[in-house]
Amino acid sequence: QVQLVESGGGLVQAGGSLRLSCAASGRTFSRYAMGWFRQAPGKERERVAAISWTGGRTYYADSVQGRFTVSRDIAGNTVYLQMNNLKLEDTAVYYCAAGFSIATLNDYWGQGTQVTVSS
């Protein structure tokens, strides 16, 4: 059974940091691009960051560029999202995803982890 399990969400004050992790199991993800989406209440789900299966290419939404860093472990089955200088507008449920490429992260999804940034 293929699973993507996120962890690391929580409550943090504005300006603080969190590190999200996503552990993939059930198959080898080393040849899959992986990344993160988020969905805030009343808003559409948006792609936040992604990394290619080699780790050589990354994508960041303009809203998080310079504050968030996506990475993956050598085995390729765990992806991380380091979030620094968090803002109130970063509050959302964050979802891990995997797919054929950075642009098509729609093959597998995690259940999501809540990130809440307070003032």
Side-chain angles (χ1 to χ4, degrees):
Q1 181 181 359
V2 175
Q3 280 189 312
L4 298 181
V5 179
E6 302 97 338
S7 62
L11 175 65
V12 63
Q13 285 190 323
S17 298
L18 280 177
R19 188 192 195 206
L20 304 183
S21 299
C22 172
S25 62
R27 67 163 300 149
T28 299
F29 281 83
S30 58
R31 293 299 183 101
Y32 277 77
M34 297 183 74
W36 296 89
F37 288 72
R38 68 185 180 187
Q39 187 165 22
K43 295 187 177 181
E44 294 186 354
R45 186 174 295 190
E46 66 168 332
R47 186 175 51 156
V48 174
I51 187 167
S52 63
W53 68 270
T54 64
R57 290 182 59 221
T58 56
Y59 162 85
Y60 295 97
D62 289 344
S63 57
V64 307
Q65 181 74 46
R67 300 187 296 121
F68 290 13
T69 302
V70 62
S71 61
R72 63 193 302 169
D73 68 346
I74 294 176
N77 288 331
T78 303
V79 64
Y80 306 95
L81 185 66
Q82 177 67 43
M83 306 184 294
N84 297 328
N85 190 21
L86 283 160
K87 302 178 180 181
L88 297 179
E89 52 264 39
D90 294 319
T91 295
V93 178
Y94 283 71
Y95 297 91
C96 176
F100 179 72
S101 70
I102 286 179
T104 57
L105 293 174
N106 54 14
D107 289 335
Y108 301 101
W109 290 89
Q111 292 300 306
T113 185
Q114 175 71 46
V115 172
T116 302
V117 184
S118 65
S119 59

